[in-house]
C-alpha cells in the first residue's frame, strides 16, 4: 500500500499489501474468489490485530448505503459498511430506533455485531442481539443468508470476521423513544456494597465511571425514559455541571445531561456524533463477568488499584443482558462489564492488563474480542461452551482459510 493504514487508536499499523474499496457486490465477490488472506476493515475501532493481515484489507465504505425498513416496521436491512451515526437519523425520521447503542456512534454496525459490542442495561442485550438476519460472502465467494432460527445462525452473528464478509444485516427495530440523562457525582463505595443491583437497574442504561484514585465512583450516569426526583441518589449528589466520562476532561463532546429529554440516538451514546469521540489517543480493554458476582469483580479490581491507576484514564462499569449467541461475551449469562480506557502506551498498559486478568480469572471473565487482552487463547476458548461448534462452522464456511490471519489462527487454535 502506498499509504500507511492504522486503526483508530493508532496502536496498530496494518501489514496489508493492498487496501481495496469495492463499490459493488460482484466486485467484492471477485476479491474473495481470488483467495486470501483477506480481512475486512470496518471503522478501525478494534485495539488488537484481529483485522490485521499480511494479505489484503477490504473496506466497505464505498459500497452503496442501504437502509430498507420492512413493511411491518419491525426490522431494517442495512449494508455491511454503514455506521450507527449514519443509520440512526434515518431510522428516527421514520419513528423507529434500535434498542441499544454503544458509547460511540462512530463505529460500524457490522464491526460492532461481529465482536458483540454493546451499550448497557440490565434488560438489554448487546448490539448483536438485534440481528434478525445476516448476509455474508463465504470463503468461496458465494453470498449466503442466515436468519434467526436457522442452523448456525447463533454462531455466525458474532463471527469475528472468520466466516466471511458481512454485506448486509437485518436488525430488529422498536418505536422511537426519548431518553433523559442524569449524572451524579461521588457515589460512595458503601452504596455499592448495599445497593449495587438496584443502582445498575435504576435506568434504561446505567454507567458508573471511576479513575480508581479512591474506591468511590466519580460519576454515575443514568439514562432513563422518565424523570428522576431532585436531590441525592444512592448517596451521590446531582452533578453541578456537565460531565465527561473521564474525570477532569472538558465535557463539550458529551451527550446532553441534566435530565433534558432528547431522542434515543442523542442520549444512549456517551459522545456526540459530530465531535471527536472519547479523549483521542487511548487503548481499551474490557471483560464481562457474571452479573451475580458483580461485587466480587469490583473487589478484584480494587485489589490491583495501585497497578492500574498510573495508566488508567477511566473504568466504566455497566451491565448487559444474557443472550444465545455462541461467541458473545454474554452467552447464557447476564453480565457486569468492566471497561478500561488506558493511556496510549502499550508497554506500560500490558502489565496492568495482566494483573486484572489474574484477579478476574476465578470469575471466568470473557475479554472483549476487539480490545486489549493478554490471556492465552486456550483459556479464552474454554469460557465458551459452543466454541467447538464455532470452529466447525468456520471450517464449513471458509475451508480454504481465505479470512484467516495470525490473530484468528491463535484464537481458533489451528
Amino acid at each position: 500500500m502506498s499509504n500507511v493504514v492504522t486503526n483508530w487508536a493508532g496502536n496498530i499499523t496494518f501489514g496489508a499489501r493492498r487496501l481495496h474499496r469495492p463499490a459493488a457486490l460482484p466486485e467484492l465477490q471477485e476479491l474473495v474468489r481470488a483467495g486470501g488472506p483477506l480481512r475486512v476493515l470496518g471503522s478501525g475501532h478494534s485495539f488488537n490485530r484481529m483485522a490485521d493481515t499480511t494479505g489484503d484489507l477490504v473496506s466497505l465504505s464505498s459500497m452503496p448505503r442501504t437502509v430498507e425498513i420492512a413493511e411491518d416496521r419491525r426490522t431494517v436491512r442495512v449494508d455491511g459498511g454503514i455506521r450507527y451515526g449514519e443509520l440512526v437519523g434515518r431510522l428516527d425520521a421514520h419513528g423507529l430506533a434500535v434498542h441499544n447503542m454503544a458509547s460511540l456512534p462512530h463505529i460500524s454496525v457490522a464491526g460492532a455485531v461481529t465482536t458483540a459490542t454493546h451499550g448497557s442495561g440490565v434488560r438489554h442485550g448487546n448490539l448483536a442481539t438485534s440481528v434478525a438476519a445476516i448476509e455474508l460472502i463465504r470463503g468461496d465467494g458465494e453470498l449466503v443468508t442466515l436468519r434467526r432460527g436457522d442452523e448456525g445462525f447463533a454462531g455466525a452473528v458474532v463471527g469475528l470476521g472468520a466466516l466471511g464478509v458481512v454485506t448486509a444485516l437485518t436488525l430488529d427495530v422498536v418505536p422511537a423513544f426519548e431518553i433523559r440523562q442524569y449524572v451524579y457525582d461521588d457515589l460512595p463505595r458503601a452504596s455499592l456494597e448495599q445497593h449495587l443491583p438496584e443502582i445498575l437497574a435504576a435506568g434504561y442504561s446505567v454507567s458508573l465511571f471511576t479513575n480508581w484514585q479512591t474506591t468511590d465512583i466519580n460519576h454515575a450516569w443514568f439514562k432513563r425514559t422518565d424523570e428522576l426526583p431532585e436531590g441525592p441518589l444512592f448517596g451521590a449528589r446531582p452533578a453541578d455541571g456537565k460531565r465527561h466520562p473521564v474525570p477532569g476532561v472538558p465535557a463539550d463532546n458529551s451527550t446532553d445531561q441534566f435530565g433534558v429529554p432528547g431522542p434515543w440516538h442523542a442520549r444512549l451514546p456517551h459522545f456526540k456524533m459530530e465531535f471527536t469521540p472519547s479523549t483521542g489517543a487511548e487503548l481499551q480493554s474490557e471483560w464481562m463477568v457474571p452479573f451475580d458476582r458483580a461485587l466480587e469483580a469490583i473487589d478484584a479490581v480494587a485489589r490491583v488499584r495501585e497497578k492500574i491507576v498510573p495508566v488508567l484514564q477511566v473504568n466504566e462499569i455497566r451491565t448487559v443482558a444474557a443472550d444465545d449467541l455462541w461467541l458473545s461475551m454474554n452467552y447464557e449469562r447476564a453480565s457486569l462489564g468492566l471497561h478500561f480506557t488506558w493511556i496510549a502506551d502499550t508497554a506500560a498498559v500490558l502489565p496492568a492488563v495482566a494483573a486484572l486478568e489474574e484477579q478476574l480469572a476465578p470469575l471466568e471473565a470473557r475479554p472483549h474480542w476487539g480490545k486489549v487482552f493478554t490471556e492465552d487463547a486456550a483459556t479464552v476458548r474454554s469460557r465458551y461452551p459452543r466454541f467447538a461448534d464455532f470452529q466447525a462452522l468456520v471450517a464449513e464456511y471458509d475451508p480454504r482459510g481465505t479470512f484467516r490471519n495470525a490473530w484468528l489462527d491463535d484464537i481458533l487454535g489451528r
Side-chain angles (χ1 to χ4, degrees):
M1 293 186 295
S2 57
N3 296 317
V4 172
V5 178
T6 69
N7 65 339
W8 171 74
N11 68 305
I12 300 293
T13 299
F14 296 111
R17 299 170 301 189
R18 291 174 292 272
L19 172 61
H20 302 274
R21 299 184 186 273
L25 185 61
E27 184 183 354
L28 179 55
Q29 289 179 284
E30 284 306 308
L31 282 172
V32 175
R33 290 192 181 105
L38 178 74
R39 294 293 283 173
V40 178
L41 177 64
S43 55
H45 279 79
S46 58
F47 293 82
N48 59 38
R49 294 196 173 274
M50 71 178 305
D52 197 13
T53 179
T54 57
D56 290 2
L57 281 174
V58 59
S59 168
L60 305 187
S61 60
S62 296
M63 297 283 282
R65 298 283 79 88
T66 300
V67 180
E68 299 172 350
I69 298 170
E71 289 187 11
D72 64 6
R73 293 173 54 84
R74 296 176 63 181
T75 60
V76 61
R77 181 176 175 272
V78 302
D79 65 276
I82 199 167
R83 301 185 186 210
Y84 280 98
E86 299 172 297
L87 170 63
V88 295
R90 296 168 75 170
L91 273 184
D92 193 59
H94 288 274
L96 296 171
V98 290
H99 80 289
N100 213 341
M101 289 186 67
S103 300
L104 304 177
H106 309 71
I107 61 177
S108 69
V109 176
V113 164
T114 202
T115 55
T117 296
H118 57 89
S120 68
V122 295
R123 293 172 292 277
H124 308 298
N126 65 47
L127 302 179
T129 62
S130 69
V131 175
I134 181 170
E135 301 169 41
L136 57 84
I137 300 171
R138 65 189 187 194
D140 60 2
E142 292 301 306
L143 182 66
V144 298
T145 301
L146 286 170
R147 295 177 175 83
R148 187 181 285 134
D150 288 350
E151 184 178 358
F153 172 84
V157 175
V158 183
L160 311 184
L163 276 68
V165 181
V166 176
T167 57
L169 293 163
T170 300
L171 308 176
D172 297 329
V173 292
V174 298
F177 54 97
E178 285 194 334
I179 288 283
R180 300 169 185 265
Q181 183 165 233
Y182 297 86
V183 178
Y184 291 76
D185 290 344
D186 301 325
L187 178 67
R189 165 66 193 211
S191 292
L192 299 185
E193 295 174 358
Q194 298 168 15
H195 303 292
L196 185 58
E198 298 97 313
I199 292 169
L200 293 170
Y204 188 96
S205 170
V206 176
S207 294
L208 310 179
F209 292 97
T210 177
N211 58 9
W212 283 106
Q213 298 287 345
T214 71
T215 56
D216 293 339
I217 298 297
N218 298 104
H219 310 305
W221 293 37
F222 299 90
K223 302 171 193 276
R224 295 174 60 101
T225 56
D226 60 353
E227 293 186 69
L228 274 174
E230 294 183 3
L233 185 66
F234 298 109
R237 65 181 186 277
D240 59 5
K242 192 176 181 182
R243 298 292 187 252
H244 188 284
V246 181
V249 174
D252 293 345
N253 62 352
S254 300
T255 47
D256 290 341
Q257 301 164 19
F258 305 110
V260 177
W264 56 279
H265 59 84
R267 296 292 185 274
L268 289 179
H270 299 326
F271 302 103
K272 296 178 179 179
M273 182 65 192
E274 62 267 27
F275 287 89
T276 300
S278 197
T279 61
E282 64 189 57
L283 301 175
Q284 294 181 12
S285 298
E286 185 164 26
W287 293 271
M288 292 286 168
V289 301
F291 181 71
D292 60 6
R293 304 184 72 179
L295 199 55
E296 290 181 66
I298 293 172
D299 287 340
V301 178
R303 285 195 292 271
V304 290
R305 185 162 64 94
E306 292 183 359
K307 294 183 179 180
I308 67 175
V309 163
V311 293
L312 180 68
Q313 295 191 47
V314 73
N315 171 203
E316 179 178 3
I317 301 169
R318 51 193 172 187
T319 58
V320 187
D323 61 58
D324 65 352
L325 304 175
W326 297 353
L327 260 59
S328 165
M329 291 84 72
N330 318 110
Y331 178 74
E332 292 191 338
R333 70 186 198 192
S335 303
L336 183 83
L338 296 166
H339 178 277
F340 296 83
T341 299
W342 308 107
I343 64 173
D345 185 336
T346 300
V349 165
L350 289 181
V353 170
L356 282 167
E357 287 172 331
E358 182 180 3
Q359 291 297 320
L360 295 173
L363 304 179
E364 296 192 342
R366 295 169 177 166
H368 189 294
W369 294 110
K371 300 186 179 181
V372 177
F373 61 94
T374 67
E375 278 189 307
D376 66 276
T379 298
V380 175
R381 287 195 297 272
S382 71
R383 294 174 182 157
Y384 290 88
R386 300 295 299 272
F387 203 94
D389 295 322
F390 180 74
Q391 291 170 315
L393 199 63
V394 172
E396 176 186 350
Y397 276 72
D398 186 27
R400 298 185 301 170
T402 298
F403 307 112
R404 299 292 285 269
N405 64 0
W407 183 90
L408 196 56
D409 285 343
D410 187 41
I411 292 297
L412 291 175
R414 298 180 182 179

